Amino acid sequence: MGSRRMSTQIFPVRLSAAQQDAAYFHSYNHVGIHEEMIKDRIRTEAYRDAIFAHQEAIKDKVVIDVGCGTGILSIFCAAAGARKVYAVDASDIAVQAREVVKANGFSDVITVIVGRVEEIQLEEKADVIISEWMGYMLLYETMLPSVVCARDRWLKPGGLMLPSFATLYMAPITNPDRYGESIDFWRNVYGFDMSAILPLAKQCAFEEPCVEVITAENVISFPILVKRIDCSTVTLEELETVTTTFSVPSIMRAHLHGFALWFNVSFGGDASCLPKSKAASNGTIPLVLSTAPEDPPTHWAQTILYVYEPVELQQDNLISGTFTMSQCKENPRFLNVHIEYR
Amino acid sequence: MGSRRMSTQIFPVRLSAAQQDAAYFHSYNHVGIHEEMIKDRIRTEAYRDAIFAHQEAIKDKVVIDVGCGTGILSIFCAAAGARKVYAVDASDIAVQAREVVKANGFSDVITVIVGRVEEIQLEEKADVIISEWMGYMLLYETMLPSVVCARDRWLKPGGLMLPSFATLYMAPITNPDRYGESIDFWRNVYGFDMSAILPLAKQCAFEEPCVEVITAENVISFPILVKRIDCSTVTLEELETVTTTFSVPSIMRAHLHGFALWFNVSFGGDASCLPKSKAASNGTIPLVLSTAPEDPPTHWAQTILYVYEPVELQQDNLISGTFTMSQCKENPRFLNVHIEYR
């Protein structure tokens, strides 16, 4: 029986809500973040493919790109024939996006708006909302509430949400290499016993969720569905607290080292039950962007909640518990994560 | 002709001197920093080898370890036969060091003191001061002033400083791969021209010094000696501003992308003129810990100051200029770096 409470607050000082918002948007002024996202080909090509797979719904239509960043998704939509794209971002990077749009000859189609999507005024409603809003473990630093607000204010009834569905999964994992590297390491340091450091080392290494790439070999049960989000209907209340109880058998003899979280999003259909990320875009099977351990790694990697004491498991041992993720009251972009397991 | 001004202040908010100090020492509570330093075998084994090469000076003597961290250097000194080691650190990691010392049976020899070395009171003077005080580009976040203070207060006349000398070098470099990867990349992003982002991308990538590993192949002139520090005589005033003028020929045709800084320290002799880091420890040639591009990489890597616009050089073109590094008035642990070149 163990219990973990993790908070992912990263600011060293207490900030007001306005300061938090400013810090969040300011962080996206740094080009390195956009470079990392654009260089994530799995991510960017999934969006590009989804846009061109839905060309019929986009051509001659009005699109809103929520959190446009450098403007690449808006440009894809313009290239797919959109009549008008409203590219919205509250970060100063949008100023650069405007220059990029101009340099590529899309100024007539794409209107870049530097501002919060909650506060913008448009002259028309949109047929499509596109947004790359997903954070680590789907909802960390999430922009989804802004997307929901844009949808409720500006999407025509029956309009298209891209992505359309998002699904968060978790699974117990084993990771002896990682555990040995940063924990067991202290048992023998140049011939001396430094295991007195172990409690602090575990706290430092595992107090907060770790963003790391694992593989399917690390996963020791079938995945648990934590939350399925229908982007066309999800409400803000639904996102305040996400909780699930689980009870899954270990598929092998192994040490339980923690729990991994990952997600996928699908464009134009519900892929929460699809086993593989790559699905044909023939109109019936939706396109999926997957960040699962069995799929090629993305910049989201997986999010791992490590346990302080590994648990030895035999095959078919039941791993049961409750997982709860709730918005941090002090800063809604952050999450409190709580997991209890037996 | 170009000019660069770089400030390495990393705190997003203005902190008082006491807060700065607290933040500095608090950062060393995190075990990951100590893990990285201990796992740097080049660093830790150089210290271990230096301690055992000076066993005659340490055996039955009194040693002060300034900024002891997890206590590994103090343990090496105790294992080398020191009569007494005062292991001092103002970070809470010293509490762990005390446990480590106990677990290894050195409690009688090593006294761990949690506190600022400037404020401690000892019952006796020391024969040896050992400290791993070097920061990025030698003096960033440096502990050297604390070492100087400990020396002036507690070292016997003629006592041994380990390391004994430190030397900072710089050299112009070429690095087309790095430049292409994070700068030229924007010229063609999934078929679109995003070079409007280039000015901001350069600013974000190169505004602050970069800690990166380069190799001897990146270096396009012989190294320039910036500063040689004799740890037995250096004064605080000497460290306030470090400046050097340089004029070196390019040894090949290349694009100048910036300037690299690195350092070495020597134990028991002056190695500033030695070409290689590995020197025999036969008592006449000092042991050297080198972080030069031609030597195996350490956790210090090299520190690179990139220029915004590469300069095309022919072989034997002179690269001339001035390099100045001065303590940041608002926070003496930080540096202002200024370089002008022709």
Side-chain angles (χ1 to χ4, degrees):
Chain A
M1 173 80 166
S3 171
R4 294 288 314 281
R5 180 174 294 278
M6 276 167 297
S7 164
T8 56
Q9 299 194 345
I10 52 167
F11 290 116
V13 286
R14 201 159 282 272
L15 301 178
S16 70
Q19 283 175 313
Q20 288 166 10
D21 239 35
Y24 171 76
F25 288 119
H26 184 75
S27 74
Y28 279 86
N29 291 346
H30 198 287
V31 171
I33 291 185
H34 299 285
E35 182 187 333
E36 186 191 24
M37 292 191 295
I38 286 184
K39 282 188 173 170
D40 181 346
R41 298 193 78 92
I42 308 269
R43 161 198 178 273
T44 309
E45 290 180 359
Y47 271 84
R48 187 188 60 185
D49 294 351
I51 288 164
F52 285 96
H54 291 86
Q55 192 158 11
E56 215 166 293
I58 290 170
K59 197 166 162 24
D60 302 323
K61 297 291 173 57
V62 177
V63 179
I64 304 175
D65 176 1
V66 179
C68 67
T70 56
I72 186 74
L73 302 189
S74 293
I75 288 174
F76 288 153
C77 290
R83 175 171 63 78
K84 173 57 78 183
V85 181
Y86 295 101
V88 186
D89 202 311
S91 157
D92 285 343
I93 194 73
V95 178
Q96 314 296 317
R98 193 176 283 147
E99 294 304 309
V100 170
V101 163
K102 198 171 152 191
N104 288 279
F106 289 123
S107 291
D108 289 347
V109 176
I110 303 173
T111 300
V112 177
I113 304 173
V114 187
R116 294 168 54 89
V117 76
E118 289 84 349
E119 295 161 5
I120 58 165
Q121 294 299 328
L122 304 180
E123 289 164 14
E124 56 190 332
K125 292 232 168 185
D127 304 281
V128 181
I129 288 180
I130 192 160
S131 179
E132 197 277 77
W133 53 263
M134 299 85 73
Y136 297 121
M137 55 188 200
L138 191 59
L139 295 175
Y140 179 67
E141 280 207 349
T142 183
M143 295 198 321
L144 184 54
S146 297
V147 175
V148 167
C149 175
R151 179 198 71 196
D152 293 346
R153 290 183 69 201
W154 300 108
L155 188 67
K156 289 180 190 168
L160 178 66
M161 296 293 290
L162 292 178
S164 315
F165 294 89
T167 313
L168 179 63
Y169 296 94
M170 69 177 285
I173 64 156
T174 189
N175 202 351
D177 290 352
R178 172 72 158 83
Y179 225 82
E181 195 181 295
S182 54
I183 303 302
D184 295 332
F185 154 75
W186 292 101
R187 298 184 196 278
N188 182 343
V189 179
Y190 299 88
F192 296 99
D193 174 12
M194 289 200 155
S195 34
I197 309 246
L198 281 177
L200 187 63
K202 286 178 184 175
Q203 191 191 326
C204 289
F206 300 147
E207 191 172 31
E208 302 205 346
C210 301
V211 176
E212 296 173 4
V213 172
I214 58 167
T215 69
E217 281 70 49
N218 296 107
V219 177
I220 57 176
S221 84
F222 58 82
I224 301 148
L225 193 153
V226 176
K227 175 73 181 166
R228 183 176 160 274
I229 294 171
D230 179 341
C231 299
S232 297
T233 60
V234 63
T235 61
L236 296 187
E237 295 69 38
E238 216 181 311
L239 298 173
E240 278 169 15
T241 300
V242 168
T243 191
T244 191
T245 56
F246 56 87
S247 185
V248 288
S250 174
I251 58 171
M252 57 182 170
R253 194 176 157 178
H255 280 89
L256 171 76
H257 287 118
F259 295 85
L261 288 138
W262 67 87
F263 63 88
N264 69 31
V265 296
S266 63
F267 299 88
D270 179 5
S272 64
C273 300
L274 284 182
K276 297 302 292 175
S277 65
K278 279 287 170 199
S281 59
N282 60 3
T284 55
I285 305 179
L287 268 157
V288 176
L289 165 56
S290 166
T291 68
E294 69 266 26
D295 290 312
T298 68
H299 80 284
W300 286 284
Q302 285 81 41
T303 302
I304 318 289
L305 317 177
Y306 282 100
V307 300
Y308 285 16
E309 295 301 329
V311 181
E312 202 179 333
L313 294 174
Q314 305 301 321
Q315 190 175 337
D316 296 328
N317 274 176
L318 269 189
I319 308 157
S320 312
T322 309
F323 171 83
T324 305
M325 196 163 72
S326 53
Q327 280 177 8
C328 177
K329 283 203 176 58
E330 286 80 30
N331 186 340
R333 291 193 194 279
F334 294 159
L335 298 170
N336 291 316
V337 177
H338 186 70
I339 190 162
E340 287 191 7
Y341 56 92
R342 270 181 308 277
Chain B
M1 174 79 163
S3 172
R4 294 288 315 280
R5 180 174 296 276
M6 276 168 298
S7 165
T8 55
Q9 299 195 344
I10 51 168
F11 290 115
V13 286
R14 200 159 283 271
L15 301 177
S16 70
Q19 283 175 313
Q20 287 166 10
D21 239 35
Y24 171 75
F25 287 118
H26 184 74
S27 73
Y28 278 87
N29 292 345
H30 198 288
V31 172
I33 291 185
H34 299 284
E35 183 187 331
E36 186 191 24
M37 292 192 294
I38 287 184
K39 282 186 173 170
D40 181 345
R41 299 195 77 94
I42 309 268
R43 162 199 178 271
T44 309
E45 291 180 359
Y47 271 84
R48 187 188 58 183
D49 294 351
I51 287 164
F52 285 97
H54 290 86
Q55 192 157 12
E56 215 166 292
I58 290 171
K59 197 166 160 29
D60 302 325
K61 298 290 173 60
V62 177
V63 179
I64 304 174
D65 176 0
V66 179
C68 67
T70 57
I72 186 74
L73 301 189
S74 293
I75 288 174
F76 289 153
C77 290
R83 175 171 64 77
K84 173 57 75 182
V85 181
Y86 295 101
V88 186
D89 203 311
S91 157
D92 286 342
I93 193 73
V95 177
Q96 314 296 318
R98 193 175 284 146
E99 295 303 310
V100 169
V101 164
K102 198 171 152 191
N104 289 278
F106 288 123
S107 290
D108 289 347
V109 176
I110 303 173
T111 300
V112 177
I113 303 172
V114 187
R116 293 167 54 89
V117 76
E118 290 84 350
E119 295 161 5
I120 58 165
Q121 293 300 328
L122 304 179
E123 290 164 12
E124 56 191 332
K125 292 232 167 182
D127 305 282
V128 181
I129 288 180
I130 191 160
S131 179
E132 197 277 76
W133 53 264
M134 299 86 72
Y136 297 122
M137 55 188 198
L138 193 59
L139 294 175
Y140 178 66
E141 280 208 347
T142 184
M143 296 199 318
L144 184 54
S146 298
V147 175
V148 167
C149 176
R151 180 198 70 196
D152 293 347
R153 289 181 70 202
W154 300 109
L155 188 67
K156 291 179 189 168
L160 178 65
M161 295 293 290
L162 293 178
S164 315
F165 294 89
T167 313
L168 178 64
Y169 296 93
M170 69 178 284
I173 63 156
T174 189
N175 201 352
D177 291 351
R178 172 70 158 82
Y179 225 82
E181 193 180 296
S182 54
I183 304 301
D184 295 332
F185 153 76
W186 292 101
R187 298 184 195 280
N188 181 343
V189 178
Y190 299 88
F192 296 97
D193 173 12
M194 291 202 154
S195 37
I197 306 233
L198 281 178
L200 187 62
K202 286 178 185 176
Q203 190 191 327
C204 288
F206 300 146
E207 190 172 32
E208 303 207 345
C210 301
V211 176
E212 296 174 3
V213 173
I214 59 167
T215 69
E217 281 70 49
N218 297 106
V219 177
I220 57 175
S221 84
F222 58 83
I224 301 149
L225 193 152
V226 177
K227 175 72 181 168
R228 182 176 160 275
I229 293 172
D230 180 340
C231 299
S232 297
T233 61
V234 65
T235 61
L236 296 187
E237 295 69 40
E238 217 183 310
L239 298 172
E240 277 170 15
T241 300
V242 168
T243 189
T244 192
T245 56
F246 57 89
S247 185
V248 288
S250 174
I251 57 171
M252 57 183 172
R253 195 176 157 177
H255 280 90
L256 171 76
H257 287 118
F259 295 85
L261 287 137
W262 67 87
F263 63 88
N264 69 31
V265 296
S266 64
F267 298 89
D270 179 3
S272 64
C273 300
L274 286 181
K276 295 304 290 176
S277 65
K278 279 288 168 198
S281 59
N282 61 3
T284 56
I285 305 178
L287 269 157
V288 176
L289 165 55
S290 167
T291 68
E294 68 267 27
D295 289 311
T298 69
H299 80 283
W300 286 284
Q302 285 81 41
T303 302
I304 318 289
L305 317 176
Y306 282 100
V307 301
Y308 286 16
E309 294 302 330
V311 181
E312 202 179 334
L313 294 174
Q314 305 300 320
Q315 191 175 334
D316 296 328
N317 274 176
L318 270 189
I319 308 157
S320 312
T322 308
F323 171 83
T324 305
M325 195 163 73
S326 54
Q327 282 176 7
C328 176
K329 281 201 178 59
E330 287 79 30
N331 186 341
R333 292 194 193 281
F334 295 158
L335 299 170
N336 291 314
V337 177
H338 186 72
I339 191 163
E340 286 192 9
Y341 56 92
R342 271 181 308 278

